[in-house]
Each structure stands twice: as structure tokens, then as C-alpha cells.
């Protein structure tokens, strides 16, 4: 099926051709005709399924068909999104899809200048993409009015509730005219979301695309059992040995993300971090460098990563496993965008094994065990020596070694012997391992990697090391 069959107008199909899209994704196929009819929609879908175009395309067509003048400070279509990154991403898509449709698009979210928002809203905008908090600030300051809204979109509603936006959301919806079209998207449908949907939607059509669990099917998934204190060394080895185009590394905390970036730098690997403590310009720069390929490694927390829509993410690395299994599916969905495939590697310490079990239960898939690289301890020690030299300190409590494993690592946890895990992992694994991945070059490598254990520093073909990227 092509886009022509969905009833989209010529300016939109032209924009799609310009984007190089030829075939609608399932949610686009199901949602576009319904939204064009003016019906409310309940979409159960997550990012990566093409849902942005599914609501933006038909909405642009409806707004363009009824070329009303928007009043100063007013808005015709409001899209609410949970994070700045997602809001920015939706606005970017709306501009691209609407490039031949002469509609104005603006974004407002925290961390940017109110004066700029005021300027953008002064003449009124056709499509406004906003995070709830900043929008309410603007409404309260009478810089934005919601009384002319014809289409209201709530995107990633489950995340909005998780982030505590429920009161803001309710306040905003009360200010929007009752006579409107409402489009409601959520990746999951817990009771709270179902109730909210039933309050806000009138006789909606429901479109459910792939339960969260099945996105995982396109991603090649591995898990390596490793001590928490040895994860840094493993990450360095993985980043050097895997054929990485772009890698998104997930940590559970902001502090953890910064620490990973610092330690990687100590081993000559350049990476950026993106999380809530970074300023908006820092976040934008990190994202832009990741998109352009200037920095191929981005270390992120879950919330900051919402809305990161970068094609060509070849690897997702879970430096720490998420304690909410759905988050794992969101994370690995950052690779395998729009039908591509990708690789997800999770580092699992002993105390994270229950999280792994929950993930496997949710995805109804067993994650394949990939053993630690051969000679892991020697390599880890060599990397540590390099790091100590480069940044003058090392957070690993002491030299990695068998003694460590017998005594257990610095953090409180069950007795754990990685060598034994290694052995048993090898026995469980199906043969895919770091050691025999066959991707390593023999020499080269980034600055500071001179004593990295004598392996894994070069990259075949490209000749550039991660450090140089
Ligand atoms: P979304 O789920 O809206 O975040 O979209 C996921 C990714 O798929 C984005 O990079 C879109 O630009 C891309 N995309 C959306 N629709 C299509 C399509 N019909 N064909 C190819 N790529 C698409």
C-alpha cells in the first residue's frame, strides 16, 4: 500500500516523497484515514512505530483544508509531549511533513527563553508542540491562549503520568474547548491511562500497534554477566570491538552517566552525556553531535532518552539494567527504528538479575548470554592503568583480579565469581562472544589506548578509532 491510498493531499505526499517514505507503517495505515474523518483516536503505540506522522499528517490536512486565521497568541493544534527532546522531535517532523502546507509550527518547553516563546506565539501558531509545565507558565502569563484549539494531541501519555504531569495535564485540558478532536497516544495502557482516555475522548477509534513486548523482536539482544565495578572496563572493550555506527549507552542515574563519560575519556573514548542536569544548549549540542555522527557515543538516562529519534543507532548498551521492564523495551527500541535492525547488549551485575528476569517475562524472550571477553581481567587491568595515568584517579576500588572475585566487589552483594560466571555463561551462550566477534583490528586506536591489553583497539575498514570520532 502507498500513501496515495490513504487520502492524503498532494502537499503532504510531496513532503513524504521528499523524506523518502514510500510505504505507510501499520499505525499510519490504520490511523490516518480515521483522523482525516475527524474522529477521536486512542493509539496504543510507542516511538519508533511512525506514530508522529500518523497524527501529524492528517491533522495538517484538516487544518489546511479549513484555512482559518489564527488569532494572536492562539493555537489551532496543541501537541503535548512529556520531554523537551520529544517535543523538539515532533516539531521537527511537523515542519518537514508540513513544508508545502503553509502552516506555522512552534515549540515551547522548559529550559528555553520565555521571551523567545512570547515572540513565537505573538501572532498565533497553527501547531504548537509543548511540554505541560512551560505551557501552563505561558498561559498563566497570558502569552498563550488555548481557547481556539481544534485538535488536541496527548503523546506518550503514560510517560506524562510517570513524570507527574497529571495535574498540569488536567488543567490544560480544562482550558481547551470541548468541541475538538482529541488524539491520545500511549505505549502502555494501565488502568490510569484508560480512565484518562475515557474522560478525554469521545467515541474514539482504537488503534493498537504491537504490544510493547514485540518491538524487541527485531533487536538482537545479549546479556553479559559482570561485576558492577568491572562494567566500565567491559564497556570500553565493547565500544572498541563492536562495529558501532552510533551507540546509545544507558545508565540509571545522571551521576552514573557523567561518570561513564569521564571514565571513557580516561581510556581515550570520546562520548557525550544527556540527562536532566544538563542545560538545554548542552542537551541540544549532545543530540546534534550524535545525529551528525560527530560524537558516536551518547550516554543517557531513561528520561533524557525519550524522544531521541536518531536513525543509525547500531547499538544500545544497557550499562545498568532498568528496574522497570517496559523501560528496557523503550531503550532497545532506540535502535531498530523504522524497520531497521540493531544490537542491544546489557551488562548485568548480580543484584540486577531480578530485573533481567522481569524483562524476559515481559518480552517473552530469553536474552542470549554473551560471555565476558577472553582474558577479561588482564585487559581490564591494563585499561585501568591507562585511566589512572590519564585522569589521575580511578574509582575502581583496587586492581581487578581473582582475589576481587573471591572476596566480592566493593558494593554489597551476593558472593559472585565472574570467572565462574564467565565459564557458565560460555556454556549457556550460543557461541557469540566478544572474543570471537571477529571485528577487531590489530592496531591503531585512540589516544590513551596504548596499553589497552594489546587487543581490540583498531576498527577495521574505517581506520578511525572511537576516540577520534
Ligand atoms: P516515530 O515513531 O514517529 O518516532 O517514527 C520513528 C522513525 O520512523 C522516525 O525516524 C520517522 O522519521 C520514521 N518514519 C516514520 N514513518 C515512516 C515511513 N512511512 N517510512 C519510513 N520511515 C518512517
Amino acid at each position: 500500500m502507498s500513501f496515495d491510498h490513504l487520502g492524503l493531499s498532494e502537499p503532504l505526499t510531496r513532503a513524504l516523497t521528499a523524506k523518502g517514505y514510500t510505504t505507510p507503517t501499520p499505525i499510519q495505515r490504520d490511523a490516518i484515514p480515521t483522523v482525516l474523518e475527524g474522529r477521536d483516536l486512542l493509539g496504543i503505540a510507542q516511538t519508533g512505530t511512525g506514530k508522529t506522522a500518523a497524527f501529524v499528517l492528517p491533522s495538517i490536512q484538516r487544518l489546511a483544508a479549513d484555512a482559518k486565521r489564527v488569532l494572536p497568541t492562539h493555537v489551532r493544534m496543541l501537541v503535548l509531549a512529556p520531554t523537551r527532546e520529544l517535543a523538539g522531535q515532533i516539531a521537527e517532523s511537523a515542519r518537514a511533513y508540513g513544508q508545502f502546507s503553509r502552516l506555522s509550527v512552534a515549540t515551547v518547553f522548559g529550559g528555553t527563553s520565555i521571551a523567545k516563546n512570547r515572540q513565537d506565539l505573538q501572532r498565533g501558531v497553527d501547531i504548537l508542540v509543548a511540554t505541560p509545565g512551560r505551557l501552563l507558565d505561558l498561559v498563566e502569563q497570558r502569552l498563550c491562549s488555548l481557547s481556539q484549539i481544534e485538535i488536541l494531541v496527548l503523546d506518550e501519555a503514560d510517560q506524562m503520568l510517570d513524570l507527574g504531569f497529571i495535574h498540569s495535564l488536567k488543567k490544560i485540558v480544562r482550558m481547551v474547548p470541548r468541541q475538538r478532536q482529541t488524539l491520545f497516544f500511549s505505549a502502555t495502557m494501565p488502568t490510569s491511562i484508560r480512565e484518562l482516555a475515557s474522560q478525554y475522548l469521545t467515541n474514539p477509534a482504537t488503534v493498537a500497534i504491537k504490544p510493547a513486548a514485540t518491538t524487541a523482536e527485531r533487536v538482537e539482544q545479549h546479556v553479559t554477566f559482570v561485576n558492577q565495578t568491572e562494567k566500565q572496563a567491559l564497556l570500553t572493550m565493547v565500544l572498541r570491538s563492536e562495529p558501532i555506527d552510533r551507540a546509545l549507552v544507558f545508565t540509571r542515574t545522571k551521576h552514573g552517566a557523567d561518570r561513564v563519560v569521564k571514565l571513557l575519556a580516561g581510556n581515550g573514548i570520546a562520548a557525550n552525556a544527556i540527562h536532566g542536569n544538563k542545560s538545554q544548549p548542552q542537551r541540544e549540542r549532545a543530540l546534534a553531535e550524535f545525529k551528525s555522527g560527530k560524537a558516536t557515543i551518547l550516554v543517557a538516562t531513561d528520561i533524557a532518552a525519550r524522544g531521541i529519534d536518531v536513525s543509525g543507532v547500531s547499538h544500545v548498551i544497557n550499562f545498568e539494567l532498568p528496574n522497570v521492564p517496559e523501560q528496557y523495551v523503550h531503550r532497545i527500541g532506540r535502535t531498530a527504528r523504522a524497520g531497521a535492525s540493531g544490537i542491544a547488549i546489557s551488562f548485568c551485575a548480580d543484584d540486577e538479575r531480578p530485573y533481567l528476569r522481569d524483562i524476559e517475562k515481559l518480552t517473552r524472550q530469553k536474552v542470549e548470554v554473551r560471555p565476558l571477553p577472553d582474558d577479561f581481567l588482564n585487559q581490564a587491568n591494563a585499561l585501568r592503568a591507562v585511566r589512572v595515568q590519564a585522569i589521575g584517579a580511578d574509582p575502581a576500588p583496587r586492581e581487578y583480579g581473582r582475589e576481587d572475585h573471591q572476596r566480592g566487589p566493593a558494593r554489597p552483594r551476593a558472593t559472585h565469581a565472574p570467572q565462574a560466571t564467565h565459564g557458565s555463561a560460555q556454556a549457556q551462550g550460543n557461541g557469540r562472544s566478544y572474543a570471537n566477534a571477529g571485528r577487531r583490528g590489530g592496531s591503531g586506536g585512540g589516544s590513551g589506548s596504548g596499553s589497552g591489553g594489546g587487543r581490540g583497539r583498531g576498527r577495521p575498514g574505517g581506520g578511525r578509532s572511537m576516540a577520534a570520532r
Side-chain angles (χ1 to χ4, degrees), residues 344-355:
I345 303 173
S346 300
F347 297 173
C348 180
D350 248 10
D351 56 358
E352 294 173 299
R353 283 179 188 251
Y355 303 154

Side-chain angles (χ1 to χ4, degrees), residues 3 16 19-25 27-28 46-54 86 89 93 97 309-311 337-338:
F3 280 104
L16 289 168
K19 288 279 280 177
Y21 301 168
T22 50
T23 317
T25 65
I27 190 153
Q28 291 162 3
Q46 46 186 198
T47 44
T49 53
K51 76 175 153 65
T52 313
L86 184 62
Q89 193 64 55
S93 298
Y97 301 140
D309 175 23
V310 177
S311 52
R337 307 287 282 173

Side-chain angles (χ1 to χ4, degrees), residues 12-280:
L12 293 170
T13 50
R14 195 158 23 123
L16 289 168
T17 308
K19 288 279 280 177
Y21 301 168
T22 50
T23 317
T25 65
I27 190 153
Q28 291 162 3
R29 189 195 56 215
D30 293 350
I32 289 173
T34 308
V35 180
L36 279 176
E37 277 174 28
R39 275 191 77 178
D40 282 4
L41 181 83
L42 173 58
I44 305 164
Q46 46 186 198
T47 44
T49 53
K51 76 175 153 65
T52 313
F55 66 78
V56 168
L57 290 166
S59 300
I60 290 178
Q61 182 155 329
R62 295 193 66 232
L63 294 172
D66 179 11
K68 271 190 199 132
R69 262 191 95 98
V70 62
L71 301 168
T73 73
H74 283 65
V75 174
R76 293 184 69 194
M77 171 178 178
L78 173 64
V79 182
L80 287 174
T83 63
R84 304 160 184 189
E85 279 76 18
L86 184 62
Q89 193 64 55
I90 295 169
E92 197 180 300
S93 298
R95 288 191 185 101
Y97 301 140
Q99 63 179 304
F100 306 114
S101 304
R102 296 161 152 252
L103 294 173
S104 54
V105 179
T107 35
V108 298
F109 45 73
T112 54
S113 118
I114 290 249
K116 169 85 171 59
N117 296 160
R118 178 210 296 260
Q119 200 184 350
D120 289 345
L121 289 163
Q122 217 159 30
R123 287 208 244 150
V125 285
D126 293 301
I127 303 173
L128 180 67
V129 189
T131 54
R134 173 56 65 94
L135 180 70
L136 274 179
D137 286 349
L138 292 164
V139 170
E140 276 155 20
Q141 293 181 40
R142 299 187 183 282
L143 299 174
C144 181
S145 166
L146 307 181
S147 63
Q148 206 191 336
I149 286 175
E150 299 159 53
I151 305 174
L152 173 67
V153 182
L154 304 179
D155 198 14
E156 309 225 341
D158 50 352
Q159 283 291 315
M160 280 203 258
L161 295 202
D162 286 353
L163 292 173
F165 283 136
I166 183 70
H167 296 298
S168 309
L169 207 59
K170 287 187 169 168
K171 251 188 188 169
I172 292 168
V173 178
R174 275 201 296 271
M175 288 186 265
V176 176
R178 275 174 182 274
Q179 189 69 27
R180 59 167 195 252
Q181 182 178 24
T182 311
L183 314 174
F184 191 108
F185 291 89
S186 185
T188 52
M189 273 292 146
T191 318
S192 53
I193 290 287
R194 223 168 261 289
E195 280 170 9
L196 205 62
S198 71
Q199 281 169 35
Y200 293 163
L201 299 165
T202 310
N203 184 27
T206 302
V207 176
I209 300 299
K210 290 195 174 179
T214 58
T215 343
E217 282 164 12
R218 286 200 314 272
V219 182
E220 185 183 322
Q221 298 166 62
H222 302 272
V223 60
T224 297
F225 296 106
V226 59
N227 279 336
Q228 186 64 36
T229 50
E230 291 162 355
K231 286 185 174 182
Q232 186 66 41
L234 181 59
L235 179 63
T236 304
M237 292 178 213
V238 169
L239 292 176
R240 286 183 180 165
S241 64
E242 285 283 310
I244 285 169
D245 290 326
R246 281 191 191 82
L248 199 48
V249 179
F250 282 96
T251 59
R252 271 204 297 267
T253 63
K254 302 168 196 171
H255 173 67
D258 286 336
R259 200 162 153 251
V260 167
V261 167
K262 189 169 167 224
L263 293 175
L264 284 176
N267 282 128
I269 296 178
N272 287 327
I274 186 164
H275 56 64
N277 283 356
K278 297 275 180 192
S279 67
Q280 190 58 25

